[in-house]
Amino acid sequence: MTVALMWEARAAEGRGADLLAWARAQRLAEEPLRRETFRAPQDRVLVVTWWDAPYDAPLPELPEPDPELVTRAVHRWRFEAVADD
């Protein structure tokens, strides 16, 4: 099964580049099948990692950034891939 973990944060005013650099520098305890980093308006940063694992497997995730980098707690979601019919 393929599981995707999504990590999304919104940077504090004027800290978008810092948050993006911080997220890109984070290393996980294990390497995912794939990892992509995105940015969006309002200084949002999104990191998606893909894993070959059961849905409820304990998987390494990006941590919370330092509070001065963000405007709120990180949002996290977990999804499982479904076959196209």
Side-chain angles (χ1 to χ4, degrees):
M1 168 184 297
T2 300
V3 176
L5 301 183
M6 297 179 66
W7 178 101
E8 186 266 339
R10 184 173 176 192
E13 183 72 31
R15 303 293 307 268
D18 297 331
L19 179 62
L20 179 60
W22 179 91
R24 293 179 76 188
Q26 298 307 299
R27 296 295 164 243
L28 299 169
E30 299 174 43
E31 284 296 313
L33 296 172
R34 184 168 148 197
R35 176 176 172 165
E36 290 189 59
T37 304
F38 303 86
R39 63 180 169 189
Q42 299 179 332
D43 289 329
R44 294 178 191 275
V45 175
L46 173 69
V47 178
V48 183
T49 56
W50 285 263
W51 304 88
D52 182 16
Y55 182 81
D56 57 353
L59 297 169
E61 296 190 49
L62 271 65
E64 292 281 331
D66 292 332
E68 66 270 2
L69 274 181
V70 293
T71 60
R72 57 162 169 74
V74 169
H75 290 175
R76 300 170 192 272
W77 300 276
R78 184 176 287 225
F79 296 90
E80 65 180 306
V82 294
D84 292 331
D85 292 331

